[in-house]
């Protein structure tokens, strides 16, 4: 039964992949395609944040800082040191993860919401460094001229080409984190989220695993940041602040904490909803706010959670119907 | 000579001005069923919390299997082969029953992240084996039919059994049960006695049990340690303990609540 389900899922995945291959031909409006690219980048970050918050139950209110660290690292490495994008990409992830380790190691040892507080702090510090260390970061103007990556001699300098790069990386991140989620390690993360005291008595070194999941999530944020820098062609302090951190949290919350599809759905729906509400001019943010509140009120476990529960209920009804038919026969 | 699997000498635990454990000495024989009793607030649960590394002790030495565990953390002590249940249930409530046991079973995993990113064909076989073991344990405590249910939806008594199964999943040499019969009806409690006996007989696990229900304790334990105000006031075989004047006084001394008077009656029976 389980194997069968997996096979169905495999087919689904192949279908989605084929659909994505044709997306640039469907979404011909280059502006929407660009928005889709930004969404894919945010999905990579949100996947990591969902692993941290949705599965392991740890809250970071400063993830945009790691996004920014990744973006600046990539910009500085490729422009100042002439390093190839393909090397700068993992190095951006590693740099963000290293800062994540420095923040997480002391705070996650302690009980309580120290990570949440420290992550606000690192968010503020990052902003200060970005805006004030002008010689290094370019200050408020940022760094311009971040180049598009080359792939086998082809420059990925259009949104269409970049889209394919992003799809592949996002898929990779999704699969690798899914593998973690489905493993013993994923179960251990959930155990920490649900009952930290008991988790320790299941042989789980909770301090170590919390740091581990935080490092993974900051790594993904760094990767996302690098991809963002090379898509936009420049980096500036704008977009890596507190508001953006909260924005990421809202996305995974609306999508469904602790659901694999949560980050994808949350990012896509909120990004595009906000865009379509432009139509309402000055009421845009009001309507967007109403949407957020409705999701939280009517779908407390997020959009993915809502549909997951709905499907389960339908399935149950079907099973009980069949059961009745059997007993009648 | 029988080995002492657990040895506490002079263990002290203070909460601010309150001495919850007062110079506690305790020897638990390997292969025995050993009970700790005492009035409410006498430090029974605290003794478990200190032994298992949840709270650091203020003084004293603790040895498990001749190994010093005085400064170890809970996950390290679990790895050595000591498991526990909680008086106030600490199940993974949103997980299924079988997942709760699986977490116990995986307690010696090293959680190196690279292991889980790799594809490994032996993994499915390993997982199948774990599932089988988990099912065996659920069967052992008698809640196999609940395996796919969400833990928080189980009735209270079954939640207690699930905690035991989960603890046994860590393959302990010694298991500490904190009032496992609390909240159970008489039939359930009777079945629990059998289960605890089998933990020792079939699984060869030493049992240290805290229990309020006197009849149950007398039925089960080979040796009883009595705590009062964090100190040991008596120790010995059940028949001796039930006639010990100090014990009777300790139970009556706690402002004759109905529960304690009942306990007193049970003691005399
Ligand atoms: N974490 C704690 N902080 C402060 N006091 C505690 C704590 N745990 C237990 N105590 C106190 O220690 C004493 C012994 O408690 P406990 O070990 O739970 O008793 P028992 O299990 O025998 O009923 C009680 O007075 C209790 O209030
Ligand atoms: Mg207690």
């Amino acid at each position: 039964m389980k194997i069968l389900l997996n096979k169905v899922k495999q087919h689904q995945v192949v279908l989605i992949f084929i659909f994505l291959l044709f997306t640039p031909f469907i979404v011909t409006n280059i502006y929407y395609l660009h928005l889709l690219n930004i969404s894919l980048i945010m999905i990579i970050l949100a996947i990591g944040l969902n692993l941290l918050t949705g599965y392991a139950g740890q809250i970071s209110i400063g993830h945009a800082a790691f996004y920014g660290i990744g973006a600046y690292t990539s910009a500085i490495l490729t422009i100042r040191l002439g390093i190839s994008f393909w090397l700068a990409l993992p190095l951006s992830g590693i740099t963000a993860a290293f800062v994540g380790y420095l923040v997480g190691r002391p705070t996650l040892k302690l009980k309580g919401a120290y990570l949440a507080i420290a992550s606000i702090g690192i968010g503020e510090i990052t902003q200060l460094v970005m805006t004030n260390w002008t010689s290094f970061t370019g200050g408020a103007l940022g760094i311009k001229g971040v180049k598009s990556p080359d792939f086998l001699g082809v420059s990925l300098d259009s949104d269409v080409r970049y889209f394919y790069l992003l799809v592949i990386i996002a898929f990779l991140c999704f699969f690798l984190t899914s593998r973690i989620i489905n493993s013993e390690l994923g179960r251990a993360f959930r155990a920490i989220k649900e009952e930290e005291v008991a988790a320790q008595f299941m042989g789980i070194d909770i301090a170590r695993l919390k740091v581990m999941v935080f490092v993974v999530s900051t790594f993904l944020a760094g990767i996302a940041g690098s991809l963002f820098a090379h898509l936009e062609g420049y980096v500036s302090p704008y977009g890596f602040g507190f508001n953006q951190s909260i924005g990421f949290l809202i996305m995974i919350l609306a999508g469904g904490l602790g659901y694999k599809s949560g980050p994808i759905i949350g990012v896509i729906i909120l990004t595009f909803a906000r865009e379509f509400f432009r139509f309402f001019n000055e009421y845009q943010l009001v309507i967007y706010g109403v949407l957020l509140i409705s999701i939280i009120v009517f779908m407390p476990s997020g959009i993915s959670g809502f549909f997951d529960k709905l499907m389960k209920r339908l399935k149950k009804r079907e099973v009980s119907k069949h059961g009745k038919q059997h007993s009648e026969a | 000579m029988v080995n002492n699997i657990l040895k506490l000498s002079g263990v002290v635990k203070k909460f601010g001005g309150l001495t919850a454990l007062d110079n506690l000495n305790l020897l638990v024989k390997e292969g025995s069923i050993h009970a700790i009793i005492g009035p409410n607030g006498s430090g029974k649960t605290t003794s478990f919390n200190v032994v298992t590394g949840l709270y650091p002790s203020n003084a004293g030495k603790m040895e498990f299997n001749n190994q010093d565990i005085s400064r170890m953390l809970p996950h390290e002590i679990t790895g050595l082969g000591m498991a526990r249940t909680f008086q106030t249930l600490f199940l993974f409530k949103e997980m299924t029953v079988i997942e709760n046991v699986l977490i116990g079973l995986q307690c010696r995993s090293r959680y190196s992240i690279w292991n889980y990113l790799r594809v490994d064909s032996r993994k499915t076989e390993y997982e199948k084996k774990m599932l089988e073991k988990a099912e065996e344990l659920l069967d052992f405590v008698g809640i196999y039919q609940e395996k796919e249910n969400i833990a928080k939806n189980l009735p209270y008594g079954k939640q207690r059994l699930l905690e035991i199964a989960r603890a046994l999943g860590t393959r302990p040499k010694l298991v500490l049960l904190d009032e496992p019969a609390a909240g159970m009806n008489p039939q359930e409690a009777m079945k629990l006695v059998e289960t605890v006996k089998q933990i020792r007989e079939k699984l060869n696990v030493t049992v240290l049990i805290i229990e309020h229900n006197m009849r149950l304790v007398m039925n089960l334990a080979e040796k009883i340690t009595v705590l009062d105000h964090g100190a040991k006031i008596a120790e010995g075989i059940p028949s001796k303990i039930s006639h010990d004047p100090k014990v009777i006084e300790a139970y009556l001394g706690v402002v004759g609540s109905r529960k304690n008077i009942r306990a007193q009656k049970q003691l005399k029976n």
Side-chain angles (χ1 to χ4, degrees):
Chain A
M1 186 63 201
K2 253 201 177 144
I3 293 163
L4 207 85
L5 255 174
N6 282 345
K7 263 194 188 145
V8 171
K9 277 209 176 132
Q10 270 169 24
H11 287 304
Q12 280 175 3
V13 165
V14 170
L15 277 178
I16 291 172
F17 204 79
I18 290 171
F19 173 74
L20 284 172
L21 284 183
F22 287 102
T23 303
F25 300 99
I26 302 164
V27 185
T28 46
N29 181 330
I30 205 70
Y31 178 69
Y32 287 140
L33 192 63
H34 186 71
L35 213 56
L36 199 57
N37 278 343
I38 302 263
S39 300
L40 281 168
I41 289 170
M42 291 199 284
I43 283 171
I44 293 169
L45 182 142
I47 284 173
L49 195 58
N50 187 39
L51 191 67
L52 176 75
T53 307
Y55 287 94
Q58 309 305 306
I59 294 173
S60 162
I61 320 181
H63 246 52
F66 299 101
Y67 189 42
I69 289 170
Y72 273 83
T73 304
S74 212
I76 289 167
L77 286 180
T78 54
I79 292 177
R80 304 249 167 93
L81 301 179
I83 287 174
S84 144
F85 163 81
W86 302 104
L87 190 60
L89 177 70
L91 284 177
S92 305
I94 289 170
T95 307
F98 179 69
V99 178
Y101 178 79
L102 292 183
V103 176
R105 181 67 206 279
T107 50
L108 287 166
K109 262 191 177 169
L110 306 168
K111 279 189 187 120
Y114 289 94
L115 178 67
I117 296 161
S119 62
I120 296 177
I122 194 72
E124 293 307 310
I125 292 170
T126 310
Q127 280 287 305
L128 282 176
V129 170
M130 284 176 185
T131 35
N132 294 329
W133 192 0
T134 315
S135 60
F136 190 56
T137 63
L141 293 176
I143 303 172
K144 293 196 181 69
V146 184
K147 281 203 210 93
S148 302
D150 282 326
F151 181 67
L152 301 176
V154 182
S155 174
L156 306 179
D157 56 0
S158 71
D159 267 298
V160 176
R161 290 179 190 163
Y162 211 77
F163 173 82
Y164 289 110
L165 171 70
L166 290 176
V167 164
I168 289 168
I169 296 180
F171 250 80
L172 213 68
C173 293
F174 180 79
F175 274 120
L176 292 179
T177 48
S178 294
R179 207 171 265 164
I180 293 176
I181 290 165
N182 293 338
S183 73
E184 288 184 338
L185 182 58
R187 201 184 285 129
F189 287 151
R190 281 189 291 142
I192 293 173
K193 180 188 182 185
E194 282 197 27
E195 203 58 79
E196 213 174 293
V197 174
Q200 302 174 63
F201 291 95
M202 301 294 118
I204 296 170
D205 183 348
I206 53 174
R208 179 173 157 253
L209 259 62
K210 282 182 192 172
V211 173
M212 184 195 282
V213 71
F214 188 59
V215 165
V216 170
S217 80
T218 50
F219 176 80
L220 288 174
I223 294 278
S226 166
L227 291 166
F228 181 73
H230 291 272
L231 172 68
E232 298 293 18
Y234 70 92
V235 290
S236 77
Y238 178 77
F240 302 126
F242 183 73
N243 286 350
Q244 187 63 58
S245 292
I246 298 291
F248 289 138
L249 277 176
I250 290 176
M251 284 177 187
I252 59 166
L253 210 73
L257 284 180
Y259 290 92
K260 278 184 222 148
S261 56
I264 302 171
I265 296 196
V267 168
I268 299 260
I269 288 195
L270 291 195
T271 307
F272 280 86
R274 192 163 183 167
E275 199 50 42
F276 291 138
F277 292 160
R278 259 172 206 257
F279 175 67
F280 297 100
N281 296 325
E282 61 264 49
Y283 299 111
Q284 183 201 358
L285 283 182
V286 176
I287 298 192
Y288 184 68
V290 170
L291 171 76
L292 285 184
I293 292 172
S294 322
I295 290 176
I296 285 163
V297 169
F298 296 111
M299 305 175 172
S301 43
I303 301 168
S304 294
F306 177 80
F307 284 105
D308 182 71
K309 279 178 187 160
L310 195 72
M311 292 295 270
K312 269 186 191 150
R313 207 169 300 160
L314 289 180
K315 236 181 232 170
K316 219 180 217 173
R317 194 173 293 170
E318 203 126 290
V319 167
S320 62
K321 234 193 246 164
H322 277 289
K324 256 182 209 153
Q325 278 167 359
H326 274 290
S327 59
E328 276 164 14
Chain B
M1 218 201 90
V2 186
N3 181 28
N4 285 316
I5 193 161
L6 185 68
K7 193 168 154 192
L8 309 192
S9 16
V11 173
V12 176
K13 177 66 200 172
K14 288 183 180 159
F15 294 112
L18 178 89
T19 305
L21 290 181
D22 188 2
N23 204 12
L24 181 64
N25 298 311
L26 184 71
L27 293 176
V28 178
K29 279 209 179 85
E30 184 159 13
S32 68
I33 297 181
H34 189 134
I36 297 181
I37 64 170
N40 264 330
S42 57
K44 306 183 294 295
T45 298
T46 302
S47 75
F48 275 18
N49 287 341
V50 169
V51 165
T52 56
L54 188 61
Y55 298 156
S57 59
N58 296 96
K61 192 173 173 192
M62 305 184 286
E63 279 173 84
F64 175 58
N65 245 339
N66 302 318
Q67 193 167 353
D68 190 353
I69 56 165
S70 307
R71 304 189 151 271
M72 284 192 188
L73 291 169
H75 69 267
E76 296 165 329
I77 295 175
T78 306
L80 294 179
M82 190 194 299
R84 71 171 293 180
T85 65
F86 299 89
Q87 182 179 0
T88 50
L89 293 164
F90 277 131
L91 286 171
F92 304 115
K93 298 184 196 70
E94 302 291 336
M95 294 193 200
T96 61
V97 166
I98 194 139
E99 271 186 309
N100 268 275
V101 183
L102 283 169
I103 293 229
L105 284 166
Q106 69 186 49
C107 78
R108 283 176 190 80
S109 290
R110 276 176 298 116
Y111 298 123
S112 140
I113 195 158
W114 313 115
N115 279 347
Y116 302 104
L117 295 176
R118 267 201 338 251
V119 185
D120 185 349
S121 57
R122 282 168 306 178
K123 248 187 238 169
T124 42
E125 204 174 303
Y126 167 78
E127 275 157 19
K128 229 172 85 186
K129 233 191 250 163
M130 296 283 261
L131 264 178
E132 267 168 33
K133 273 190 199 159
E135 287 176 355
E136 269 171 34
L137 280 169
L138 288 176
D139 196 35
F140 179 81
V141 299
I143 54 171
Y144 175 80
Q145 68 284 2
E146 307 280 0
K147 70 173 177 167
E148 297 297 342
N149 286 338
I150 304 293
K152 68 173 178 193
N153 295 338
L154 293 190
Y156 200 69
K158 284 183 176 172
Q159 291 196 15
R160 289 221 171 272
L161 293 174
L162 177 54
E163 273 226 347
I164 295 175
R166 185 180 70 175
L168 293 174
T170 66
R171 280 152 293 161
K173 300 184 184 87
L174 168 69
V175 65
L176 315 185
L177 308 175
D178 196 346
E179 303 207 21
M184 285 188 172
N185 62 38
Q187 288 101 306
E188 283 175 323
M190 245 164 61
K191 259 177 82 182
L192 178 77
V193 171
E194 286 316 303
T195 305
V196 174
K197 280 181 180 162
Q198 296 214 331
I199 290 175
R200 194 251 309 259
E201 314 296 335
K202 281 206 179 146
L203 306 180
N204 286 317
V205 175
T206 310
V207 178
L208 182 60
I209 182 172
I210 294 173
E211 189 44 69
H212 241 98
N213 184 329
M214 281 307 150
R215 206 178 313 155
L216 200 146
V217 171
M218 297 294 157
N219 230 315
L220 205 52
E222 286 129 27
K223 190 171 172 188
I224 298 177
T225 300
V226 189
L227 295 187
D228 191 21
H229 296 294
K232 185 156 85 178
I233 55 165
E235 190 166 66
I237 55 171
S239 56
K240 199 183 104 195
I241 289 297
S242 60
H243 294 100
D244 191 312
K246 263 198 197 154
V247 177
I248 293 167
E249 196 200 308
Y251 269 80
L252 262 185
V254 186
V255 202
S257 74
R258 217 198 271 170
K259 196 171 174 191
N260 285 318
I261 290 175
R262 231 186 296 142
Q264 160 75 7
K265 274 185 191 153
Q266 281 173 1
L267 266 173
K268 281 193 173 156
N269 287 341

